[in-house]
Amino acid sequence: MISPPIADGLNEKQQQSVTLSEDINALILAGAGSGKTRVLTHRIHHLVSEKNHHADDILAVTFTNKAANEMKERLSDLLRRPIGRMWVGTFHSLAHRLLRTHPSEANLSPTFQILDSQDQFRIIKRLMKENGIDEKKLKIKEVQWFINKNKDNGISPKDIEVGYDYAKQQKVKVFDIYENFIQVNDLVDFAGLLVKSFELLKNNPSLLEHYQNKFHHILVDEFQDTNRIQYQFIKILHNESNHVFCVGDDDQSIYGWRGAKIENIQKIENDFKPIQIIKLEQNYRSTGNILSASNALIANNQNRLEKSLWTASGDGELINVFNARDEREEAQYVVGEIKSQFSQGRNLDECAILYRSNAQSRIFEESLIKHNLNYRIYGGLRFFERAEIKDAMGYVRLIENTSDNIAFERIVNFPTRGIGLSTIEKIRSHSIENHTDLFQSSIAIIDSLSARAANALQAFIYLIEEIADTTKNLMLSEKVDSILLQSGLMAHYANDKTDKAGSKRENLEELVNAASQYVHEEDNELNETQGFIALATLDSSGESNQINQNYVQLMTVHSAKGLEFPVVFLVGLEEDLFPIRQRVNQPSNIDEERRLCYVGMTRAMQSLNISHATRRSLYGETIYSRNSIFLDEIPRNFLNYIKNPNSNSVITSFEDVKNPPQKMVSSSSDSKYAIGQLVSHTKFGLGTILNYEGSGDSMRLQIKFQKVGTKWLISSYAKLEIV
């Protein structure tokens, strides 16, 4: 018999998922807004309360810190007790815990350091410089992306075929040097956390058997977002004695560009047998019209695990569609609608503007400022990514572990104390030659320096040793507070003339507050300070998840995944912008762009507004566009076409707006050119027709060429080819 706490509030399919037999694997195909987190947490509650499993024998994995924390809070409420050291968290945090528990088996020391993205960038930059690789010819960001992409796929430098591709040869060279460097220096990057955890299990059969037997149930959230190494990690933990419970939605797989493999959720039936598939199709977020339109759009994707969302809440409003003359009129329309919503009693934070590219935000920001409406860009720097916080944590890290070379390099001359680059190079050279850390090398080379340089370096060494001594018995928050004062950081930022609002000082004070709120589990493999350092590093791995109160929310559609808003403005639905130009060549890319549009539409709870512009200035050029193919794929009976920003009247002829006609450059019926058309010239290359004069053989065309700018050409002599 199912206990009331499990059954209450669950629909039939949710309850079926929660109470599914323990002897079978499961794929819960959970549509947008169908209550997947509720199902996951109630499933764990059912296993613990009804099936008498120990909470520590369940592994629950998700992707973001926000989702992991939400799951922990719900579980704590359901189980009516703290969940303690239960294995619930992100892939990265759980992999980190595994490596901390078994460092020697993973060829690491107990005090290995985690590299965040900024640290990794600096190391790659330095290694390229030391090995004579010109960063002007080989971009550091490209190399960083190349390294992480391959590690996400479990590929090492020796596994990569380079052939005669010189750029690829150079990237593999840097990859190999980088891997050797981090291994020697006891460092692990974010991708490496998963690679090393997988290798730890793969190379230690007895350890693998221990965890396979320990985790009776493995639950995975957002399964469609798993990359190759994450899939392998789950697969190696699974055996005949345990079972996986995967929750996901292939229609919301939008991270292929960063390594997610949609085929993982599609091949799960073959890799985890026997398996039962349950579809959660009742949506608790959006109105019927929004869902029906979204269903129609996504149905155009091939090879999907078919489902159809529905709601019991009624049809609601039609989806408003506005065709603007240009991006300024589009912004005026959107901001005008937000003002109208605000005047009718909505809070500003109930309204979100979603766009495909960050470059689109500027014009909306200008319009919001003009109308005195508060707004925030969602997905900015996380707290622990801010420079002043990383400086402070650099001191905390080095004082806790003087072997932390990344922390040493960050703070050795910050605030400025007269330690120059030549001194730092001597420290590095000694460290490499003698296989010691930078701090020990600093002590060793002091006698070889000039008096001025020696005094500066000696003062830094004394400072670190003194802070370590005076803070060793303090509580964590007291320790952090003392470090900020003794290091001179607080004084430095108090005198920072660029920080007129004092936000950097406030952030440092908030760091002390974060330390005071940090809860350290007693059976953690790390001490309290080390645990706080690990939390700070792992927390810098994602985007900011804070929704600002009483501010219009601006964000990319990618950033909006997992969020919901009563009123959504999905802007820029034009060919070459959404779908974006770079992703129109392959059907798989178009499918992902369509899934992204589907995600954007299903963020809306009550009101969805779609807009597109006939002419748009973007990336320094004026583009004439047709509306997006995705808009054409939405049945017209779900759409309400708005005539202009100042009127709520509807265009009566659907054909007038479905594909706005391009303005012909001539009234003659046989004219082959149109404003906005892309043409090619034998000398000037590709260009876009902006305007025209005259007709027939004397017609002149104004064309903006991508390479040589704008020119007027006589059509009969130009020999243009329509692209």
Side-chain angles (χ1 to χ4, degrees):
M1 181 178 177
I2 301 169
S3 63
I6 296 174
D8 283 357
L10 298 178
N11 66 37
E12 182 182 350
K13 289 293 184 180
Q14 289 174 334
Q15 187 167 327
Q16 181 185 352
S17 303
V18 167
T19 59
L20 191 68
S21 168
E22 290 186 82
D23 301 324
I24 194 168
N25 299 306
L27 169 60
I28 311 302
L29 200 58
S34 63
K36 65 180 180 62
T37 304
R38 185 177 181 81
V39 166
L40 271 170
T41 52
H42 277 76
R43 173 65 173 174
I44 296 172
H45 178 223
H46 174 71
L47 292 171
V48 174
S49 301
E50 299 296 314
K51 298 301 180 180
N52 300 317
H53 285 284
H54 195 281
D56 289 349
D57 294 337
I58 296 171
L59 177 70
V61 192
T62 188
F63 275 82
T64 67
N65 294 315
K66 177 187 175 185
N69 291 332
E70 182 181 355
M71 195 182 297
K72 289 176 181 177
E73 289 174 5
R74 292 196 188 187
L75 277 173
S76 182
D77 290 341
L78 284 171
L79 298 172
R80 297 178 182 175
R81 60 181 173 83
I83 63 171
R85 290 284 286 162
M86 186 176 173
W87 288 75
V88 177
T90 64
F91 273 101
H92 290 97
S93 66
L94 294 173
H96 173 250
R97 179 175 172 182
L98 201 59
L99 294 176
R100 289 292 182 194
T101 308
H102 310 282
S104 60
E105 293 92 333
N107 297 317
L108 294 167
S109 80
T111 57
F112 73 84
Q113 298 296 316
I114 310 172
L115 287 176
D116 66 14
S117 181
Q118 292 181 32
D119 292 334
Q120 185 188 47
F121 180 89
R122 289 193 182 93
I123 289 173
I124 294 170
K125 179 182 176 73
R126 197 180 110 199
L127 292 175
M128 286 175 61
K129 183 178 180 181
E130 290 175 353
N131 288 275
I133 299 172
D134 189 351
E135 65 179 77
K136 292 180 181 177
K137 296 180 180 178
L138 192 64
K139 302 297 183 186
I140 301 169
K141 279 286 185 185
E142 289 181 14
V143 177
Q144 185 179 25
W145 179 86
F146 177 82
I147 290 171
N148 291 332
K149 178 186 177 184
N150 280 287
K151 295 182 81 164
D152 283 341
N153 285 308
I155 299 172
S156 66
K158 70 179 186 303
D159 299 324
I160 302 173
E161 293 287 339
V162 295
Y164 297 101
D165 188 331
Y166 179 74
K168 194 172 184 180
Q169 291 173 3
Q170 293 294 90
K171 290 176 184 177
V172 172
K173 178 182 177 181
V174 178
F175 188 6
D176 191 40
I177 294 168
Y178 168 81
E179 285 293 278
N180 290 329
F181 177 87
I182 62 174
Q183 182 64 46
V184 168
N185 288 276
D186 203 31
L187 302 169
V188 182
D189 55 34
F190 277 103
L193 287 170
L194 287 158
V195 173
K196 284 191 171 293
S197 296
F198 173 73
E199 291 174 345
L200 170 71
L201 298 173
K202 182 181 177 182
N203 298 332
N204 295 274
S206 60
L207 199 62
L208 173 59
E209 185 179 4
H210 164 76
Y211 281 104
Q212 286 176 332
N213 293 332
K214 173 179 175 56
F215 297 131
H216 299 154
H217 291 274
I218 302 169
L219 296 90
V220 188
D221 190 15
E222 303 285 11
F223 199 82
Q224 78 281 349
D225 291 337
T226 53
N227 60 32
R228 184 170 180 265
I229 197 69
Q230 289 163 342
Y231 188 85
Q232 288 180 325
F233 180 76
I234 296 299
K235 191 175 176 182
I236 200 173
L237 279 172
H238 171 61
N239 66 5
E240 293 179 357
S241 65
N242 63 26
H243 297 89
V244 298
F245 184 91
C246 302
V247 181
D249 180 8
D250 58 329
D251 288 338
Q252 295 188 76
S253 179
I254 59 173
Y255 296 119
W257 52 276
R258 70 182 189 194
K261 302 290 185 185
I262 188 172
E263 56 265 32
N264 287 349
I265 196 170
Q266 294 170 340
K267 68 181 182 180
I268 192 173
E269 291 181 76
N270 294 322
D271 288 347
F272 300 94
K273 293 180 178 179
I275 190 167
Q276 182 168 343
I277 298 177
I278 300 174
K279 297 179 182 180
L280 302 184
E281 297 173 298
Q282 183 173 359
N283 176 283
Y284 293 93
R285 176 188 299 153
S286 305
T287 62
N289 281 324
I290 293 171
L291 293 180
S292 296
S294 302
N295 288 335
L297 171 74
I298 203 63
N300 289 278
N301 275 4
Q302 303 297 313
N303 302 317
R304 56 185 286 264
L305 302 172
E306 190 174 343
K307 66 181 181 310
S308 184
L309 299 182
W310 62 276
T311 181
S313 64
D315 290 340
E317 305 171 5
L318 292 175
I319 298 168
N320 291 324
V321 178
F322 177 66
N323 179 198
R325 289 188 294 267
D326 55 26
E327 72 274 15
R328 291 195 173 277
E329 188 174 76
E330 180 184 43
Q332 290 168 5
Y333 163 71
V334 169
V335 173
E337 288 298 305
I338 291 173
K339 286 187 70 175
S340 175
Q341 294 281 348
F342 184 63
S343 67
Q344 294 172 36
R346 283 203 187 276
N347 294 328
L348 292 180
D349 61 343
E350 294 182 80
C351 301
I353 303 173
L354 310 184
Y355 35 78
R356 178 63 181 85
S357 168
N358 276 311
Q360 293 171 253
S361 73
R362 180 191 58 82
I363 194 70
F364 294 100
E365 293 183 64
E366 287 182 7
S367 188
L368 288 163
I369 291 169
K370 179 180 177 181
H371 290 275
N372 296 315
L373 294 176
N374 295 330
Y375 72 91
R376 282 290 184 272
I377 304 292
Y378 177 91
L381 281 180
R382 296 176 69 86
F383 178 75
F384 285 108
E385 283 182 320
R386 300 181 186 278
E388 62 273 19
I389 299 303
K390 290 179 73 68
D391 294 335
M393 290 305 298
Y395 277 95
V396 175
R397 286 167 54 176
L398 191 64
I399 288 159
E400 179 63 28
N401 175 19
T402 55
S403 298
D404 189 335
N405 290 340
I406 302 298
F408 179 93
E409 293 223 27
R410 185 172 190 101
I411 67 171
V412 64
N413 195 41
F414 188 83
T416 305
R417 53 176 58 88
I419 300 174
L421 289 176
S422 61
T423 300
I424 295 172
E425 285 299 329
K426 288 179 181 178
I427 296 170
R428 286 176 182 160
S429 297
H430 183 277
S431 173
I432 293 168
E433 292 169 7
N434 295 275
H435 306 290
T436 62
D437 60 66
L438 297 178
F439 192 82
Q440 292 301 317
S441 293
S442 298
I443 297 171
I445 70 159
I446 281 182
D447 292 340
S448 67
L449 301 176
S450 66
R452 183 175 179 180
N455 288 336
L457 187 57
Q458 186 67 69
F460 175 68
I461 293 168
Y462 283 158
L463 174 66
I464 297 302
E465 291 176 339
E466 183 180 6
I467 296 176
D469 184 59
T470 59
T471 62
K472 61 185 177 183
N473 295 319
L474 296 179
M475 293 173 56
L476 179 62
S477 60
E478 294 172 338
K479 178 185 288 189
V480 173
D481 190 32
S482 181
I483 288 171
L484 293 178
L485 293 172
Q486 292 187 66
S487 66
L489 281 177
M490 196 61 87
H492 169 80
Y493 284 113
N495 296 321
D496 184 356
K497 292 182 172 57
T498 65
D499 185 28
K500 294 180 180 178
S503 59
K504 294 179 181 178
R505 297 192 303 278
E506 290 176 356
N507 285 337
L508 291 179
E509 291 166 356
E510 181 58 27
L511 181 63
V512 178
N513 186 44
S516 69
Q517 294 177 353
Y518 172 68
V519 178
H520 182 68
E521 284 108 3
E522 292 183 2
D523 59 343
N524 197 324
E525 292 78 18
L526 307 175
N527 66 35
E528 186 179 34
T529 304
Q530 292 168 344
F532 184 64
I533 292 168
L535 169 72
T537 310
L538 289 168
D539 195 57
S540 67
S541 64
E543 294 180 329
S544 171
N545 286 315
Q546 182 178 358
I547 290 293
N548 297 279
Q549 297 296 315
N550 210 27
Y551 291 89
V552 178
Q553 307 299 316
L554 276 69
M555 66 191 76
T556 64
V557 186
H558 280 104
S559 296
K561 186 170 180 290
L563 303 177
E564 59 183 32
F565 303 92
V567 182
V568 166
F569 295 88
L570 187 59
V571 302
L573 241 71
E574 300 144 29
E575 290 296 294
D576 293 338
L577 183 57
F578 200 171
I580 204 162
R581 183 184 304 173
Q582 297 93 314
R583 295 181 62 82
V584 297
N585 296 327
Q586 297 181 8
S588 61
N589 288 343
I590 287 291
D591 283 355
E592 181 160 319
E593 287 289 297
R594 187 177 284 107
R595 291 193 294 270
L596 187 60
C597 185
Y598 172 84
V599 166
M601 291 172 67
T602 54
R603 299 312 93 194
M605 300 168 70
Q606 297 161 17
S607 175
L608 174 60
N609 304 266
I610 294 174
S611 60
H612 60 101
T614 302
R615 181 179 67 248
R616 182 180 299 274
S617 297
L618 198 64
Y619 309 119
E621 61 176 320
T622 299
I623 302 168
Y624 289 81
S625 302
R626 294 168 67 87
N627 61 262
S628 171
I629 184 178
F630 301 150
L631 186 55
D632 293 340
E633 292 173 349
I634 301 173
R636 66 181 188 180
N637 55 302
F638 301 121
L639 304 177
N640 172 45
Y641 286 89
I642 305 298
K643 182 178 289 186
N644 61 61
N646 302 312
S647 171
N648 289 323
S649 61
V650 179
I651 294 178
T652 56
S653 173
F654 171 70
E655 296 302 327
D656 287 343
V657 292
K658 179 182 177 184
N659 288 308
Q662 294 174 308
K663 181 180 178 182
M664 302 307 295
V665 300
S666 171
S667 59
S668 62
S669 60
D670 61 351
S671 175
K672 62 180 181 179
Y673 300 117
I675 289 177
Q677 209 164 45
L678 188 65
V679 294
S680 177
H681 187 273
T682 53
K683 180 179 179 181
F684 303 135
L686 292 175
T688 303
I689 298 176
L690 302 183
N691 207 344
Y692 73 97
E693 288 180 357
S695 62
D697 290 339
S698 61
M699 181 192 300
R700 296 173 70 234
L701 300 172
Q702 185 187 33
I703 304 172
K704 182 175 182 180
F705 292 99
Q706 295 177 3
K707 294 182 179 179
V708 297
T710 302
K711 293 183 178 294
W712 282 93
L713 302 176
I714 298 175
S715 64
S716 57
Y717 294 105
K719 296 181 179 179
L720 298 170
E721 180 182 350
I722 298 172
V723 178

